[in-house]
Amino acid sequence: MMTLLYALLLVATSTAFNLERPLMSRHALHQPTRTTKLFSAEESVDSLDETLLRINFSVVQGAGIFESYANKALESVRSYTKSFPFAAVLPVQPLTYLPIKMPDGSPALKVTFLRKKTAEKGSQDGGIVFTSRLVSEEDCDPDGLENYVLRIELQAKRIKEGQTIPKVFSEKQICLAFIKGLSETKGQELLAEGGGVVVDSVFHIWME
C-alpha cells in the first residue's frame, strides 16, 4: 500500500512540474540562433584602417529598368565575395569569414584572423572587411540612345582591432588570390550572372 501511494505521489508531482513549464513549439526548436552581426558605427570608424584592395567593375546594358539589373549586377559581385574560399588561401592561418551589415545597412563580409586567446590578448588578430556598392547611375550615349553605364566599387579594408603584429603576408595572399579568382571559371560564371560584369581597374597596396 505504501509503495502504491508513493508511486501515485511521484506521478502527481511530475505532472504538476510539466504543467508549470512553458510549451516550446516545433518552430522555436528549429529556429536558428546565429544572426548576422551588425558592424557598429564606432567599430567601423575606429577599427577599419588602410584600404588594401579596390576593384572597379562596369556593366553596359541596353534599355531596361535600371534598378532591376543594377541590383542583379551588384549581387553577382557580392556572391563572388561570399563564395570565395578564404580559408583555402591560408590553410595554416586560423580565420573565420562571416556576413555582416555596415552601419548604413549594406551587406559586407568580414574576414577575422584568429589566435589563441590569453589573459592579455583576445582571440581576434585583425582581419579584412570586404564591401561593394554602386557608384554611378545611368548615362546616355552620343547618339542619344538610352544606355545604362553601371559601375560597382569593391573595397577591402584592414581591420586593425586586436592586431599586435602586422598581418601583411596574410592580407597580401588573400587579396591577390581574390583578384586571381575573378578571372577563373567560377568567378567568371558568377559575374556573368550579373549581366556581364567586367573588371575595369584594380588597385592594391602591393602594386609596384
Side-chain angles (χ1 to χ4, degrees):
M1 179 63 72
M2 291 297 294
T3 303
L4 179 59
L5 289 173
Y6 182 68
L8 290 172
L9 180 61
L10 285 177
V11 171
T13 304
S14 176
T15 302
F17 176 74
N18 288 328
L19 287 173
E20 291 175 0
R21 297 176 63 186
L23 294 177
M24 183 174 291
S25 67
R26 179 177 299 179
H27 173 74
L29 286 171
H30 291 84
Q31 192 170 11
T33 56
R34 175 176 287 185
T35 57
T36 300
K37 180 183 177 184
L38 180 63
F39 215 47
S40 69
E42 181 181 356
E43 186 179 6
S44 66
V45 171
D46 294 342
S47 67
L48 291 187
D49 195 12
E50 184 176 9
T51 298
L52 304 174
L53 170 66
R54 183 185 297 111
I55 304 176
N56 292 311
F57 302 87
S58 66
V59 185
V60 179
Q61 293 277 355
I65 301 174
F66 174 80
E67 183 178 0
S68 176
Y69 83 76
N71 290 334
K72 184 178 179 181
L74 180 59
E75 185 56 35
S76 71
V77 174
R78 289 174 173 168
S79 294
Y80 172 77
T81 306
K82 289 186 291 186
S83 65
F84 188 78
F86 294 96
V89 177
L90 297 170
V92 179
Q93 167 69 58
L95 58 82
T96 61
Y97 47 102
L98 298 169
I100 62 170
K101 285 189 179 297
M102 301 301 285
D104 62 1
S106 62
L109 188 128
K110 180 181 180 182
V111 178
T112 304
F113 301 131
L114 303 175
R115 62 173 171 237
K116 186 176 180 180
K117 188 175 182 180
T118 66
E120 295 79 21
K121 300 177 183 178
S123 60
Q124 181 170 333
D125 193 16
I128 307 172
V129 167
F130 288 82
T131 62
S132 50
R133 65 187 182 95
L134 298 172
V135 293
S136 67
E137 296 184 356
E138 64 188 60
D139 200 356
C140 292
D141 65 20
D143 298 327
L145 299 175
E146 192 176 43
N147 272 336
Y148 295 126
V149 179
L150 170 67
R151 302 193 187 281
I152 299 169
E153 180 186 69
L154 179 142
Q155 288 194 31
K157 286 182 174 288
R158 173 184 292 129
I159 304 173
K160 60 184 179 181
E161 179 187 359
Q163 193 176 99
T164 55
I165 300 175
K167 308 292 290 186
V168 177
F169 175 81
S170 297
E171 293 167 346
K172 180 179 180 180
Q173 295 306 306
I174 283 180
C175 289
L176 294 184
F178 189 90
I179 296 168
K180 182 181 178 183
L182 290 168
S183 61
E184 295 175 348
T185 302
K186 184 176 181 179
Q188 289 290 297
E189 289 175 351
L190 287 171
L191 294 183
E193 291 176 2
V197 179
V198 296
V199 177
D200 271 352
S201 63
V202 176
F203 161 82
H204 57 80
I205 63 172
W206 301 279
M207 294 178 71
E208 297 180 354

